[in-house]
Amino acid sequence: PYYPIQFSPPPNDPHGITRDSLRQAVLTILNHIDTSLTLILETLVPPPEDGTPSLNEQWEAMQDLQAFLQLNVESLKPPELRQLSDALYHVHEKASLSATNDRDAKQVAELCRTVIAQVALSTEHRPEAWNVFVKETLSKLSAQLTDGSSRVPIAYAAVLASRGGSKTLQLCLKTM
C-alpha cells in the first residue's frame, strides 16, 4: 500500500530522500483527495483482518490526521465527523487503557486528546457539525458512565470540557 509510508532509504542514497520527506509529500497530495480522511482513519482503526496497528503506526497516523485536519476540518461533513469521532474514541480508549504501563501509548493518547479538542473547538460555530462531533458523542459517553466502565469516558469528556470551547463545556456540565 502507498499509505502509511513504509520506506527506508537505500544505503548511500545520492538523492537524500528520507522517510519523513516522502511522508510529507504524500500528505500534501492527500490534502487534495476526497478519500484522505478514510485512508488515515483506516490506518488508525483498520479492519479486523488487517490486525492492530503498532503504537508507532498509530502515532504517525495521528500526526497525519492532525496535519490533515489543520487544512480540512472546516470542510468535513457530519458523516465524516461521525466517522472521525468514532475512530478518535477507539484510539483514545485503547491508548488510555495501555498508557499506565507504556510511555508510547501515553503519547498517542495525549495527541488523540489534542486532536479531539481541536476538532470540537472548530465545530462550535457549525451547529450541525458540533451536534455530531460533540453532542452525540457526549450522549454516548453519558450512557457509558452508568454501566461502570467510566474511566475512559470520563477522560474523553474531560478533554471536551476543558479544551473544546465554552459551548462544549456548558453541555458537558449539563450532561455529566
Side-chain angles (χ1 to χ4, degrees):
Y2 296 106
Y3 184 83
I5 301 300
Q6 296 186 11
F7 172 79
S8 296
N12 304 318
D13 177 21
H15 305 288
I17 298 172
T18 66
R19 183 176 186 283
D20 284 338
S21 65
L22 188 58
R23 186 170 152 232
Q24 287 301 339
V26 169
L27 279 175
T28 300
I29 293 166
L30 286 177
N31 280 321
H32 301 288
I33 299 173
D34 289 341
T35 59
S36 298
L37 179 65
T38 301
L39 191 61
I40 294 170
L41 294 181
E42 283 179 357
T43 302
L44 284 170
V45 185
E49 63 271 11
D50 289 354
T52 304
S54 70
L55 284 171
N56 187 54
E57 290 170 330
Q58 284 186 326
W59 173 255
E60 288 183 357
M62 284 301 304
Q63 288 179 314
D64 294 347
L65 179 61
Q66 187 176 37
F68 173 82
L69 290 172
Q70 285 174 347
L71 298 174
N72 298 291
V73 72
E74 293 292 327
S75 64
L76 294 180
K77 307 284 186 261
E80 296 166 317
L81 287 164
R82 168 57 36 226
Q83 184 184 17
L84 175 61
S85 177
D86 291 345
L88 288 172
Y89 185 81
H90 178 81
V91 171
H92 180 260
E93 178 180 44
K94 298 295 181 209
S96 295
L97 293 174
S98 300
T100 55
N101 303 330
D102 192 325
R103 186 178 58 85
D104 292 338
K106 192 177 284 191
Q107 289 177 321
V108 169
E110 185 51 42
L111 181 54
C112 189
R113 289 181 198 113
T114 297
V115 171
I116 292 163
Q118 289 170 339
V119 176
L121 192 57
S122 75
T123 63
E124 277 213 324
H125 66 282
R126 297 171 46 213
E128 189 177 7
W130 183 83
N131 282 340
V132 168
F133 191 81
V134 175
K135 192 173 184 178
E136 289 177 12
T137 301
L138 281 173
S139 179
K140 282 199 267 186
L141 294 176
S142 178
Q144 290 178 2
L145 292 176
T146 60
D147 72 10
S149 60
S150 61
R151 182 175 154 225
V152 174
I154 287 173
Y156 198 101
V159 170
L160 289 172
S162 64
R163 299 192 275 173
S166 61
K167 183 177 175 181
T168 300
L169 172 61
Q170 289 173 2
L171 181 65
C172 286
L173 293 173
K174 287 180 192 172
T175 307
M176 301 301 178

